[in-house]
Amino acid sequence: MKVKVLSRNPDDYVRETKHDIQRVPRNYDPSLHPFDVSREYTRALNATKLERVFAKPFLASLDGHRDGVNCLAKHPRSLSTLLSGSCDGEVKVWNLTKHECVRTLQAHEGFVRGMVVRHCGTSFFTIGDDKTIKHWKMEAPGYGEEEEPLNTILGKAVFTGLDHHQKNAVFATCGHQVDIWDEQRSTPIRSFTWGVDSFSSVRFNPVETELLGSCASDRSIVLYDMRESTPLKKVIMTMRTNTISWNPMEAYYFTCANEDYNLYTYDMRHLENPVKVHIDHVSAVLDVDYSPTGREFVSASFDKTIRIFPKDSANSREVYHTKRMQHVICVKWSADNKYILSGSDEMNIRLWKANAAEKLGVLSPREKQAIHYSQKLKEKFQHHPQIKRIARHRHLPKVIYHQKNELKVMKEARRRKERNVRKHSKPGSVPVVSEKEKHVVSVVK
Amino acid sequence: MASPSEADVNVSHVEKKKKRPVRYWQGTEGKTKDDNKTEGQPEQQKRQQNRIKKKRKRDEQPDGGKKVISGKSDPFPGPPPIPKDKLEKFKRKGKIQKPLQHHYKLKDIITRSEEASEMAQKQAARFDLLLPEDAGFLEGDEDEDTCMISQEDIADAVDITSGAKHFNLKLCQFGPYRLDYSRTGRHLLLGGRRGHVACVDWQSKQLMCELNVMESVNDVKWLHTEHMFAVAQKKWLHIYDSNGIELHCIRKFNDVLRMQFLPYHFLLATASATGFLQYLDVSIGKEVAAICTKTGRLDVMCQNPHNAVIHLGHPNGTVTLWSPNQKEALVKMLCHQGGVRSVTVDKTGTYMVTSGMDKKMKVFDIRAFKPLRSYFLPTGASCLSLSQRGLLSAATGDIVQVYRDVWSTPVTKPYMAHRVRGSVWGLGFCPFEDVLGVGHGEGFTSMLVPGAGEPNFDGLDTNPYRSAKQRQEWEVKALLEKIQPELITLDPSELGYVDRANFEQRHQDRVEALGFDPLGKEKFVPKHKKKGRSSAAGIERRKRQVAHEDQRDVIRKTVEDRMKLEEERNRMKEKKAALSGKRSALDRFKK
């Protein structure tokens, strides 16, 4: 007779001393792990619920300005530095880690219209309602020294927008016309006009650095090449565009914030149709900024909310609002892709997490692994109705909620009317116009 | 169109533009311009070619392995092969049908996930080699029958600790006994018919608690940990903790005869003498479902560990399958000619073994609901139990027989047999041990059955050696991923499939959920006109004007189509007639 009976030595399965970690022998045989799909689903559901529980995006409010915050500027070299300009002409430099203002200067009389930090990070430019461009040092003046700009340029008209070249000592302003300035000179080296007399913003392309985009008051977005003497082309839309932002990774795309509550992502090469129409805001969109990865962008709106859109999705994935935040005028996405900064009418700058449920601080490897695992599970089961419902739900202020419904009704009514018109007219005489085509009037080259 | 400003026409102070970086398509231009470059390029090209050649050489090597410094090549290049059956064991699902070309994103996602799962499957199969324990076995010498080997011989032949696993508890006062092993296999719960309940850490032979409930006990069952157990007493269901303290008396559950605990759902399913199948969620203490089976006394019950469906056996020979979500049985199978005495289902949920009053023992494939084998036992089996590795134990009177491979090959004689004192009342294999517990009239017998238990446990799921801390951790984790009772279906992986419900089905569900049809057309209500112009006849007339408006188009269209078809047919007929216009000689016979 040959016999063997299962006989385990407990020493192989139990830790030797209290100071060891417990032994956990594994066996991955699927028959020992029944209900794998249902258990994973339950885990995914729990992870989704916990994500909503932990979604606390608001981090801090930086207060100190005595008027509404009109513009923000990121520091290209230092993550913790932020510059803000307010409607009373004051510029503040903030330390974000300490949540405190490190420097205040009275830069202009009237609004600070625009602000940009030079690519080296040692100085910055401001423009204001007093028709001046001022060049400031980043460092605060020493004790007893007076706060004075390095250089002041007096312009002929009010400037409304400002951006600096990525590498060269060149910057662009807009206002009456789009001007390209050399830092060393007091007259623009080049000026562009195209039949309009007011521009609201100008932005350099981050990759093809000689290209610029600007938005004008005649509802157009104009593209320029700095090396040429004439503008490249423009697209005229039904409503005015407030700001544009270039995608830093795929720099032929730019997104513009429009007065008609929408954002439009355009391909620079084909301006006939926007690539995507981003709807969700219920009031004019005032500012837009891309994340450094180029996969998402954040928009600030007159409806007192900030929304985050994936670059290729029509609807926002996130909406941020607080009871006290008024019309958001400017918004920036931090260079480490983790934070969002917004400046609003009621004199505060707010610091938000870009990913609402993210845990800040150093993560242990096990924590990281668990986060990755639950992320994957959420992705896997994202289309299940229950999970989708929980993941998509956002609380909105009452006003916005009702306004949203109202807009929906209006849109539906327009659609119905158009359908009825089409039904009662000669076939083909009322063509179907897609949402993308609706908003573009013409493209001029 | 564009009007350049005057300023930039005569601007001369523009900085000289920097040289543009050379792009790859401008390679030829650069060569002619720059002398240095022309010298540099061929060298570079040569180097590159060399590199390509080397690479090709490496690829071309028959073994494809790395060269070792000594010059010898690896005789076993690449990763070691994995046996096919091992790979098959860890396979979780079939391949997904690839989507069409234009769903390129979906295709990409599917390809990636498939790659990942394949990798995981391979890794798991490789890891299988490292598992520390092997399964037990019992082999007789030539002309020695394994079923003739007595328990004492086996206990003598094996090591002391294993030998100590064969023991008898002589409890002749309160018998016969029902029994239940905890999921880790460490703890044993005994319930005597006449009220004796005891729980024992049977490996160390430590008595955890012992009590007499002073009532008849129908069944006992461990709940999710070894700290709580349920006892079905004469009238009501009671829950005790491991110290013997009564925690709950659940009066909603009366006359319970049999119980099953579904560990991943935290559900205690009970079958009562009144024909009710009830589910109790032990994590929140709520009754999840109560189903009146309308089949009389329910004293045969088992669960399918693969999909948590409850199997009930009935005196009319049928076995019914139940889930808490449905008031009717999922499946009704006629299995025996007499009543069903016992049912059991194997771990993978593939086979069901039943025994009946017709003295037969049958094996069914419960995925296809087909009988596989039928055995005749002279006395019939009163209790059945399947072990983790597929050994079947059957109690015939006071003899316990163990069979091997009852579904794959026709079995003629048992693998092992043992006679106990008094008729057998409860039977159960101990998980992760080669032990079969038998509860009978004279107490409890623990039998050694080599090859019954799964040799390697998973420490994160059921760990017999877990500490108190580990158990607590596990309990929290397990409660967090408690599966909702709504997910109990015949196919547990159904949740992972693509929902292919079409619009009509979804619309129907929506109508059912809402109670009305959201897409339904509103009934036309004529406007009320004043000054007597809204007479009843007028309203009717106006109604008739718009009646069947949606159908009118359809009717018009079908009429038009029909007309067209008719025309076509007429034309064809005429054509045919024209072709066969000549009269033949045989036409005169036509009518």
Side-chain angles (χ1 to χ4, degrees):
Chain A
M1 172 184 73
K2 271 198 258 174
V3 63
K4 178 188 178 286
V5 177
L6 268 183
S7 164
R8 300 190 186 89
N9 186 0
D11 291 347
D12 298 340
Y13 296 95
V14 182
R15 61 179 173 179
E16 276 173 22
T17 66
K18 263 189 176 175
H19 307 295
D20 296 341
I21 52 166
Q22 298 280 6
R23 284 189 179 153
V24 184
R26 298 302 310 269
N27 186 355
Y28 298 105
D29 188 351
S31 69
L32 285 182
H33 301 274
F35 307 108
D36 50 347
V37 179
S38 336
R39 282 158 81 191
E40 273 191 349
Y41 171 75
T42 313
R43 274 179 215 157
L45 188 64
N46 286 342
T48 318
K49 284 178 184 171
L50 284 179
E51 189 200 311
R52 293 323 305 153
V53 168
F54 292 130
K56 302 261 186 280
F58 180 67
L59 288 176
S61 161
L62 311 176
D63 51 343
H65 274 298
R66 281 169 292 182
D67 208 336
V69 181
N70 200 38
C71 54
L72 290 174
K74 288 185 275 188
H75 195 286
R77 298 288 165 90
S78 154
L79 276 177
S80 63
T81 311
L82 173 80
L83 286 85
S84 65
S86 77
C87 297
D88 59 353
E90 207 175 46
V91 169
K92 276 179 183 284
V93 183
W94 301 89
N95 186 334
L96 287 178
T97 44
K98 291 181 185 163
H99 301 171
E100 65 179 21
C101 175
V102 292
R103 186 182 167 197
T104 310
L105 50 128
Q106 186 64 39
H108 295 277
E109 287 165 25
F111 284 39
V112 180
R113 285 289 175 187
M115 196 160 41
V116 68
V117 184
R118 210 170 172 277
H119 50 79
C120 59
T122 53
S123 62
F124 62 93
F125 295 87
T126 60
I127 52 168
D129 268 357
D130 53 0
K131 302 182 187 174
T132 52
I133 306 169
K134 288 186 180 173
H135 187 188
W136 304 84
K137 254 184 141 170
M138 190 55 89
E139 289 154 24
Y143 182 73
E145 281 177 53
E146 239 178 83
E147 191 85 70
E148 265 191 352
L150 289 173
N151 189 16
T152 307
I153 302 169
L154 252 159
K156 283 175 199 151
V158 175
F159 299 107
T160 52
L162 172 72
D163 199 17
H164 200 281
H165 192 272
Q166 299 289 319
K167 288 181 234 135
N168 298 350
V170 172
F171 64 91
T173 61
C174 67
H176 193 56
Q177 59 196 13
V178 173
D179 294 324
I180 313 289
W181 303 75
D182 192 331
E183 281 178 12
Q184 308 301 327
R185 293 167 196 271
S186 57
T187 48
I189 52 173
R190 189 154 297 185
S191 304
F192 299 103
T193 51
W194 197 345
V196 278
D197 55 357
S198 173
F199 290 88
S200 61
S201 111
V202 62
R203 288 284 163 88
F204 272 102
N205 189 318
V207 174
E208 284 295 331
T209 49
E210 314 294 307
L211 284 179
L212 292 123
S214 77
C215 20
S217 61
D218 70 336
R219 311 169 346 247
S220 66
I221 301 164
V222 192
L223 300 181
Y224 310 91
D225 191 334
M226 218 172 74
R227 296 160 295 197
E228 286 177 25
S229 56
T230 53
L232 287 176
K233 52 183 168 180
K234 71 173 173 184
V235 55
I236 300 174
M237 303 180 68
T238 48
M239 293 277 262
R240 197 161 65 88
T241 301
N242 284 319
T243 359
I244 67 164
S245 176
W246 294 93
N247 187 332
M249 285 293 136
E250 295 162 303
Y252 38 88
Y253 289 132
F254 63 87
T255 300
C256 56
N258 205 297
E259 284 280 319
D260 64 357
Y261 312 174
N262 295 345
L263 291 119
Y264 301 93
T265 299
Y266 277 100
D267 189 333
M268 193 175 76
R269 303 161 294 186
H270 313 285
L271 292 176
E272 295 77 30
N273 281 332
V275 178
K276 203 84 202 174
V277 182
H278 310 276
I279 48 173
D280 260 353
H281 278 297
V282 294
S283 191
V285 190
L286 298 183
D287 199 7
V288 57
D289 192 33
Y290 261 97
S291 78
T293 55
R295 300 174 69 90
E296 285 174 328
F297 61 83
V298 60
S299 66
S301 163
F302 198 73
D303 62 9
K304 306 175 187 176
T305 60
I306 301 169
R307 281 182 186 267
I308 301 173
F309 291 87
K311 73 160 202 282
D312 45 10
S313 135
N315 293 92
S316 63
R317 76 159 168 86
E318 195 73 72
V319 54
Y320 293 162
H321 53 84
T322 69
K323 267 184 184 163
R324 296 182 181 190
M325 188 160 72
Q326 295 301 314
H327 316 303
V328 193
I329 295 175
C330 45
V331 71
K332 288 275 178 239
W333 198 307
S334 79
D336 60 349
N337 197 23
K338 276 197 161 180
Y339 304 100
I340 285 167
L341 294 143
S342 69
S344 44
D345 244 0
E346 83 318 322
M347 308 183 269
N348 283 326
I349 299 163
R350 288 193 167 74
L351 182 64
W352 307 86
K353 281 191 259 183
N355 199 355
E358 192 185 16
K359 192 189 169 199
L360 295 179
V362 182
L363 296 178
S364 71
R366 284 178 69 183
E367 250 175 321
K368 247 184 234 168
Q369 206 178 8
I371 287 169
H372 284 158
Y373 179 59
S374 57
Q375 190 60 41
K376 198 78 206 172
L377 282 180
K378 276 184 263 176
E379 221 169 86
K380 183 174 172 184
F381 290 97
Q382 63 185 336
H383 299 297
H384 284 252
Q386 187 127 31
I387 290 178
K388 197 155 98 185
R389 186 182 64 81
I390 294 169
R392 221 182 48 185
H393 176 80
R394 296 286 179 280
H395 174 255
L396 279 178
K398 208 172 173 183
V399 182
I400 295 171
Y401 180 77
H402 288 306
Q403 225 161 345
K404 199 174 155 192
N405 286 346
E406 200 179 324
L407 283 176
K408 203 167 142 192
V409 170
M410 284 160 67
K411 205 169 182 186
E412 181 54 37
R414 272 201 293 271
R415 225 162 60 101
R416 194 173 55 232
K417 178 163 187 182
E418 197 178 307
R419 207 167 50 220
N420 287 342
V421 168
R422 190 171 302 126
K423 206 158 102 187
H424 295 290
S425 49
K426 198 175 154 195
S429 62
V430 185
V432 182
V433 184
S434 73
E435 186 66 32
K436 284 179 186 174
E437 290 162 349
K438 256 179 212 168
H439 304 281
V440 178
V441 176
S442 65
V443 178
V444 188
K445 274 178 188 157
Chain B
M1 281 171 276
S3 58
S5 62
E6 288 138 349
D8 52 26
V9 176
N10 47 16
V11 183
S12 57
H13 61 263
V14 180
E15 189 180 29
K16 206 178 174 191
K17 273 176 199 158
K18 274 204 302 189
K19 215 177 277 166
R20 295 173 94 191
V22 178
R23 314 301 282 268
Y24 66 90
W25 62 81
Q26 293 164 333
T28 48
E29 254 182 47
K31 215 191 270 179
T32 50
K33 271 186 192 167
D34 219 328
D35 285 13
N36 287 341
K37 232 174 209 169
T38 41
E39 276 180 358
Q41 252 179 2
E43 220 171 84
Q44 244 181 20
Q45 272 179 3
K46 216 187 259 172
R47 220 178 293 151
Q48 215 161 31
Q49 274 174 359
N50 266 350
R51 211 179 298 148
I52 292 165
K53 234 183 236 169
K54 254 184 212 165
K55 204 174 173 191
R56 205 171 292 149
K57 219 177 193 178
R58 201 164 54 205
D59 291 344
E60 273 168 15
Q61 272 177 359
D63 48 72
K66 268 193 272 177
K67 277 267 182 189
V68 198
I69 298 166
S70 60
K72 277 183 186 168
S73 60
D74 186 0
F76 304 107
I82 310 165
K84 263 215 175 118
D85 55 325
K86 278 272 168 65
L87 267 181
E88 202 57 33
K89 182 181 160 190
F90 289 96
K91 197 172 162 188
R92 283 188 188 267
K93 59 171 169 53
K95 290 226 156 142
I96 308 168
Q97 201 186 356
K98 285 272 165 66
L100 295 172
Q101 197 67 41
H102 60 270
H103 295 302
Y104 62 98
K105 269 186 187 166
L106 179 65
K107 200 173 175 186
D108 190 47
I109 290 169
I110 287 177
T111 324
R112 271 162 200 250
S113 78
E114 211 127 88
E115 264 169 23
S117 66
E118 205 164 281
M119 210 254 302
Q121 183 188 338
K122 270 184 190 165
Q123 299 281 51
R126 277 190 205 290
F127 182 79
D128 213 31
L129 197 71
L130 301 174
L131 292 176
E133 304 281 344
D134 295 321
F137 59 86
L138 175 65
E139 278 170 21
D141 302 330
E142 291 132 56
D143 59 75
E144 187 188 20
D145 218 345
T146 50
C147 70
M148 301 307 283
I149 300 171
S150 73
Q151 282 293 311
E152 282 73 30
D153 289 346
I154 295 174
D156 286 341
V158 296
D159 56 315
I160 296 175
T161 41
S162 306
K165 285 172 187 168
H166 167 63
F167 59 90
N168 266 309
L169 297 178
K170 202 177 164 200
L171 308 160
C172 42
Q173 218 176 340
F174 299 107
Y177 280 85
R178 297 274 308 166
L179 66 112
D180 185 39
Y181 284 103
S182 67
R183 275 190 73 219
T184 54
R186 289 286 295 212
H187 302 273
L188 171 68
L189 183 62
L190 291 171
R193 178 104 197 106
R194 289 176 209 135
H196 177 217
V197 177
C199 48
V200 194
D201 183 350
W202 69 271
Q203 286 183 10
S204 61
K205 313 268 187 321
Q206 230 171 22
L207 185 66
M208 291 160 77
C209 81
E210 191 176 23
L211 69 156
N212 199 314
V213 297
M214 308 298 279
E215 242 180 346
S216 64
V217 168
N218 291 324
D219 200 3
V220 286
K221 210 84 200 167
W222 284 110
L223 299 187
H224 56 287
T225 60
E226 57 271 15
H227 281 281
M228 273 200 277
F229 57 88
V231 180
Q233 295 180 15
K234 184 170 186 280
K235 206 146 191 205
W236 288 311
L237 175 70
H238 292 252
I239 290 178
Y240 297 88
D241 78 349
S242 59
N243 296 322
I245 298 164
E246 183 184 313
L247 298 176
H248 303 286
C249 167
I250 303 164
R251 302 212 173 133
K252 255 193 174 175
F253 290 66
N254 57 331
D255 305 315
V256 176
L257 295 179
R258 290 285 177 269
M259 294 189 288
Q260 283 294 331
F261 184 67
L262 311 174
Y264 294 100
H265 303 77
F266 287 82
L267 288 180
L268 183 71
T270 62
S272 71
T274 53
F276 270 87
L277 172 67
Q278 284 167 297
Y279 287 86
L280 175 74
D281 191 327
V282 298
S283 65
I284 53 173
K286 262 192 188 163
E287 189 189 44
V288 168
I291 304 163
C292 180
T293 59
K294 296 172 195 158
T295 43
R297 190 181 161 84
L298 302 172
D299 56 352
V300 180
M301 183 188 202
C302 81
Q303 66 164 305
N304 183 340
H306 177 63
N307 56 12
V309 165
I310 294 290
H311 294 226
L312 295 174
H314 302 291
N316 59 359
T318 55
V319 170
T320 48
L321 274 58
W322 299 86
S323 92
N325 310 314
Q326 207 171 310
K327 291 284 172 215
E328 288 87 41
L330 299 171
V331 177
K332 251 183 206 180
M333 301 171 71
L334 180 62
C335 296
H336 289 278
Q337 297 200 322
V340 179
R341 290 180 78 185
S342 181
V343 184
T344 182
V345 179
D346 88 312
K347 189 177 66 166
T348 58
T350 319
Y351 305 105
M352 175 174 78
V353 186
T354 62
S355 71
M357 301 291 269
D358 55 357
K359 296 179 181 176
K360 275 188 178 159
M361 187 173 75
K362 289 185 179 175
V363 184
F364 292 88
D365 183 340
I366 45 169
R367 291 180 304 185
F369 301 112
K370 270 183 188 161
L372 287 179
R373 310 234 174 263
S374 174
Y375 300 101
F376 180 76
L377 299 176
T379 45
S382 64
C383 289
L384 292 174
S385 175
L386 272 166
S387 85
Q388 282 175 323
R389 296 191 68 238
L391 296 191
L392 174 74
S393 67
T396 54
D398 59 347
I399 299 173
V400 178
Q401 294 176 335
V402 181
Y403 294 91
R404 208 162 41 174
D405 293 337
V406 274
W407 37 77
S408 47
T409 47
V411 177
T412 49
K413 59 184 175 187
Y415 169 59
M416 287 177 76
H418 184 65
R419 181 188 286 272
V420 293
R421 303 156 110 222
S423 65
V424 175
W425 200 252
L427 205 59
F429 278 101
C430 177
F432 307 111
E433 292 287 346
D434 285 344
V435 166
L436 170 66
V438 187
H440 46 80
E442 297 285 292
F444 170 79
T445 305
S446 173
M447 274 174 67
L448 284 177
V449 181
E454 173 66 42
N456 296 295
F457 55 84
D458 190 88
L460 288 185
D461 198 30
T462 43
N463 187 351
Y465 296 98
R466 68 189 176 191
S467 64
K469 199 82 204 159
Q470 275 176 307
R471 197 205 65 236
Q472 287 164 2
E473 290 275 326
W474 167 84
E475 202 172 343
V476 171
K477 281 257 159 73
L479 278 167
L480 272 177
E481 51 196 60
K482 180 183 90 170
I483 306 170
Q484 290 305 313
E486 291 85 59
L487 300 182
I488 298 180
T489 49
L490 277 176
D491 182 3
S493 57
E494 206 167 31
L495 202 60
Y497 298 146
V498 176
D499 180 17
R500 292 192 188 279
N502 57 16
F503 178 75
E504 273 153 34
Q505 279 167 316
R506 244 177 276 160
H507 180 66
Q508 211 173 344
D509 289 346
R510 216 170 138 206
V511 170
E512 236 166 68
L514 290 172
F516 66 95
D517 188 353
L519 302 182
K521 231 181 156 184
E522 272 177 45
K523 217 176 160 189
F524 174 69
V525 182
K527 240 185 219 167
H528 181 71
K529 291 183 174 175
K530 283 177 184 167
K531 296 182 185 167
R533 288 193 292 152
S534 223
S535 67
I539 286 176
E540 277 309 306
R541 198 174 341 107
R542 269 188 280 154
K543 267 190 195 169
R544 222 175 304 135
Q545 277 171 357
V546 294
H548 311 300
E549 200 166 47
D550 47 344
Q551 288 183 15
R552 280 181 199 172
D553 278 345
V554 181
I555 293 167
R556 201 175 299 136
K557 206 170 179 211
T558 44
V559 167
E560 267 173 25
D561 283 355
R562 206 174 290 161
M563 295 273 279
K564 245 183 219 168
L565 229 100
E566 192 81 350
E567 254 176 47
E568 186 85 353
R569 210 175 287 151
N570 283 343
R571 222 181 312 132
M572 288 297 278
K573 224 182 224 170
E574 273 171 27
K575 229 183 202 176
K576 236 181 207 172
L579 275 177
S580 58
K582 296 169 217 159
R583 283 177 63 85
S584 76
L586 294 173
D587 274 353
R588 72 186 76 159
F589 300 114
K590 268 187 187 167
K591 265 191 179 172

